[in-house]
Amino acid sequence: MFLDSFKKNIINQLVAADDGRVLHTPMEPYFLAFTGQFSPGMPFTFYFEDRNKPVLFVYDPTPIDRRSSHASFLEHCEGIKANILPITSFMQKLADEGYVTVRPLDYNERPELPPDYANLWRKYKQFYSDVMNGLSFVCFSRFVPEQKLYDVWVKFNPKVLAG
């Protein structure tokens, strides 16, 4: 399996999550967002209006009348959205090839919208079906690394064995 830095960061996040650790990598905001939590420390999160209708909420505490233009907001969301399909597709590949075990999560246990969400979070819903399906798969699953994934992980993290 060829691993570029993007895929290595995904594997690092999966291993860290399984070990109960937090990493500060470019993938961290996505993996936090997959949980559906709403926290001011998160730049964005994913909420589902129903099981196959994800909504991207972007944190923006700026008063509503002083927020950036809608066009600027859409451009920002397109930047976030650009990584979703590559992440979810790679996670599907890891599952398909036995690198992770996928355990389904209950849709009804996702976090609710916070009471003040409209004042702090901006909503974006423009997803194609491939992105919606990928988000549903990743957000409603827990990924448990198999030994096979740890073997790959150790190959590109030789310092793990040294210390």
Side-chain angles (χ1 to χ4, degrees):
M1 175 187 312
F2 171 74
L3 296 175
D4 57 20
S5 62
F6 188 84
K7 291 175 180 173
K8 288 177 185 177
N9 280 329
I10 293 171
I11 291 172
N12 282 337
Q13 284 296 148
L14 289 169
V15 169
D18 192 56
D19 292 344
R21 293 181 290 123
V22 175
L23 295 180
H24 300 289
T25 72
M27 295 298 122
E28 182 184 31
Y30 289 91
F31 279 77
L32 289 173
F34 295 151
T35 68
Q37 296 176 39
F38 286 82
S39 171
M42 297 171 64
F44 58 91
T45 194
F46 296 105
Y47 176 79
F48 285 77
E49 292 178 335
D50 68 42
R51 186 144 172 88
N52 293 310
K53 288 199 169 192
V55 177
L56 169 66
F57 278 96
V58 178
Y59 184 69
D60 187 354
T62 307
I64 293 171
D65 61 337
R66 292 197 313 241
R67 287 184 174 170
S68 64
S69 70
H70 186 66
S72 176
F73 173 69
L74 291 177
E75 185 178 322
H76 177 68
C77 291
E78 289 296 321
I80 294 168
K81 190 168 81 170
N83 287 324
I84 296 170
L85 191 56
I87 293 169
T88 60
S89 295
F90 184 62
M91 292 176 71
Q92 180 70 58
K93 178 180 171 108
L94 291 173
D96 291 346
E97 295 182 7
Y99 288 94
V100 293
T101 298
V102 179
R103 300 222 169 98
L105 298 174
D106 187 352
Y107 167 75
N108 295 317
E109 292 181 15
R110 296 278 297 176
E112 296 289 324
L113 285 171
D116 60 347
Y117 78 93
N119 294 323
L120 299 172
W121 298 86
R122 293 179 79 173
K123 187 188 306 191
Y124 177 89
K125 296 180 173 186
Q126 298 172 8
F127 297 110
Y128 290 115
S129 63
D130 55 350
V131 174
M132 289 190 281
N133 292 338
L135 282 171
S136 291
F137 172 67
V138 170
C139 292
F140 297 118
S141 301
R142 180 171 174 265
F143 296 85
V144 180
E146 294 296 328
Q147 186 60 47
K148 187 175 175 179
L149 184 70
Y150 279 101
D151 293 344
V152 170
W153 179 72
V154 168
K155 282 183 187 177
F156 68 82
N157 287 298
K159 294 178 189 172
V160 172
L161 295 176

